[in-house]
Amino acid sequence: MSLTGKHVLSSDLFDREELERLFVLADLLTPVARGRKATRVLEGAVMASLFFEASTRTRLSCESAFLRLGGGVVNSTGPEIMSIAKGESYADTSRVVSGYCDLLVVRHPEETAVHEFAAATNVPVINGGNGAGEHPTQALLDMYTLHREFARTGRGLDNRRIALVGDLRYGRTVHSLMKLITLYENLTIVCVSPAHLGMPAALLESAERRGHRIELSDSPQTALKDADLVYATRLQTERFAGQPTPYSDEFRIDKALVSRVCRDDTVIMHPLPRNSRPGSNDLAADLNSDPRLAIFRQTDAGIPIRMALFVSVLGAAEAVPDSLRRVAWYRPEYTGPDDAPFYRNTAG
Ligand code: NCD
């Protein structure tokens, strides 16, 4: 399968082989992501990022990835500053912007909007998050992170116990992640959520059809035991019509819980942002110095894997190896003060 020219609207697009090809390409591009090497492989290409919803990581990492590939970026954020506020359709907006760029990244609160954007253009549209639907590039970075974290501790992705925790109903990152992780073999997937925030039935059924075991739980205290991965998520407050009931204390993933129930090699991830307001009971900051917490390695992984996706969609993957050059400028050896043990002896 070739990704060249494809819209990336759902994780359904990828099979295991394609995913692993992207991991290899991301490894190759990691020195570029870390400012050790440079490439101009997408010189002359322009990406447009259209974000109709709040974003920190997805927009900035897509833009940074495209810039580090030598491309240029134009962007617009929020419907109020675009002509959509004057009644322009998504189709017209998409066709117009496509004439200005070679790839679009679109985030929109309505699930169908990215599909309307894609239907109106031959320029590849990447879904940067569509309402409570999907977030395929987040799932790529989550899988890439997990692959690296497990590899570091001598594990592969097959035969694992995976706990997905929190708002599994409205959390689009876990929807896309379910589709990618179930490309692997023989998993036990524990969906841990308050009863009204469960994983959509269609995703559970398709995981079972692929031969995985599904367990449902509303208690992190018991469900996180023996997990290889704990993937926590924020309550998607913006998707509720009224005021959502906050997570109970039980859903606070903190040092006390992790030291009581998790193994020494459990990987703890979260797509971020985590809600740090008092009473939110999200992933707690007291885990920050725990080496099992992979959240910043996860955000870092967003650059090389998105670079890998962009060069693939633009048909330039084969030109990457010969395009890599040394850089002449300063960049600290490790981005975060605690990074060294995880990045030693790895690419870049
Ligand atoms: C997520 C999103 O926007 O879906 N953020 C992200 O892109 N990393 C998760 C969230 O907002 O909870």
Side-chain angles (χ1 to χ4, degrees):
M1 183 183 81
S2 162
L3 288 176
T4 306
K6 295 257 167 64
H7 296 306
V8 181
L9 303 179
S10 163
S11 288
D12 286 331
L13 182 65
F14 305 102
D15 57 20
R16 181 169 173 163
E17 198 183 324
E18 188 59 52
L19 198 58
E20 291 178 353
R21 206 191 53 75
L22 288 171
F23 293 168
V24 171
L25 198 49
D27 283 347
L28 191 64
L29 287 161
T30 291
V32 182
R34 299 216 188 114
R36 297 267 162 270
K37 286 190 180 160
T39 171
R40 308 293 297 164
V41 73
L42 291 189
E43 185 165 24
V46 174
M47 174 184 106
S49 61
L50 305 184
F51 277 66
F52 299 88
E53 223 184 29
S55 173
T56 302
R57 276 147 287 269
T58 306
R59 184 164 72 84
L60 294 185
S61 66
C62 282
E63 294 184 358
S64 173
F66 211 84
L67 291 168
R68 286 205 191 269
L69 289 165
V73 172
V74 292
N75 66 42
S76 198
T77 54
E80 66 284 354
I81 56 163
M82 294 191 69
S83 292
I84 284 171
K86 302 177 187 170
E88 186 165 55
S89 67
Y90 301 144
D92 282 3
T93 307
S94 174
R95 172 60 189 84
V96 170
V97 175
S98 296
Y100 307 156
C101 69
D102 306 289
L103 180 133
L104 283 98
V105 182
V106 181
R107 168 173 288 191
H108 202 287
E110 292 165 26
E111 280 188 38
T112 51
V114 289
H115 297 274
E116 289 183 48
F117 270 85
T121 178
N122 293 331
V123 169
V125 173
I126 313 286
N127 178 2
N130 62 323
E134 282 211 46
H135 194 345
T137 68
Q138 178 72 39
L140 288 177
L141 84 85
D142 291 341
M143 290 300 294
Y144 183 50
T145 305
L146 197 53
H147 154 77
R148 292 183 65 107
E149 293 290 313
F150 282 174
R152 201 165 41 75
T153 47
R155 285 171 287 179
L157 282 153
D158 297 317
N159 311 310
R160 299 286 144 235
R161 184 175 174 86
I162 306 293
L164 306 175
V165 186
D167 184 349
L168 308 182
R169 178 174 178 189
Y170 296 113
R172 56 194 174 197
T173 68
V174 280
H175 301 163
S176 288
L177 183 58
M178 273 293 271
K179 293 182 176 182
L180 293 191
I181 205 152
T182 53
L183 294 173
Y184 287 81
E185 301 292 324
N186 190 34
L187 304 177
T188 301
I189 302 174
V190 196
C191 293
V192 195
S193 68
H196 62 295
L197 297 177
M199 181 69 78
L203 288 167
L204 296 177
E205 283 155 20
S206 112
E208 280 177 331
R209 273 199 305 278
R210 287 179 185 173
H212 304 292
R213 278 172 308 282
I214 299 286
E215 292 176 14
L216 303 181
S217 168
D218 60 3
S219 167
Q221 312 289 327
T222 49
L224 303 196
K225 206 168 166 306
D226 274 336
D228 290 282
L229 166 70
V230 172
Y231 187 98
T233 61
R234 178 181 66 89
L235 186 66
Q236 304 286 295
T237 41
E238 66 276 38
R239 313 261 175 246
F240 290 79
Q243 190 58 29
T245 319
Y247 288 144
S248 69
D249 288 359
E250 258 216 310
F251 277 81
R252 193 179 146 80
I253 313 287
D254 61 6
K255 200 174 179 147
L257 175 68
V258 167
S259 45
R260 203 164 57 247
V261 301
C262 292
R263 300 194 317 230
D264 287 349
D265 64 354
T266 300
V267 176
I268 303 168
M269 290 170 42
H270 190 300
L272 301 182
R274 52 179 162 174
N275 187 344
S276 301
R277 293 189 189 109
S280 57
N281 294 325
D282 202 325
L283 180 68
D286 68 358
L287 280 167
N288 282 6
S289 57
D290 190 313
R292 290 171 285 189
L293 189 75
I295 54 175
F296 299 120
R297 299 191 288 283
Q298 200 180 345
T299 51
D300 285 352
I303 301 287
I305 199 77
R306 286 182 167 118
M307 291 171 114
L309 181 68
F310 295 152
V311 291
S312 300
V313 164
L314 293 180
E318 279 172 22
V320 168
D322 288 342
S323 76
L324 300 175
R325 296 198 311 258
R326 287 162 53 89
V327 297
W329 32 272
Y330 169 76
R331 161 98 190 172
E333 192 170 359
Y334 300 109
T335 306
D338 304 323
D339 287 357
F342 304 100
Y343 289 129
R344 207 168 277 143
N345 301 326
T346 64

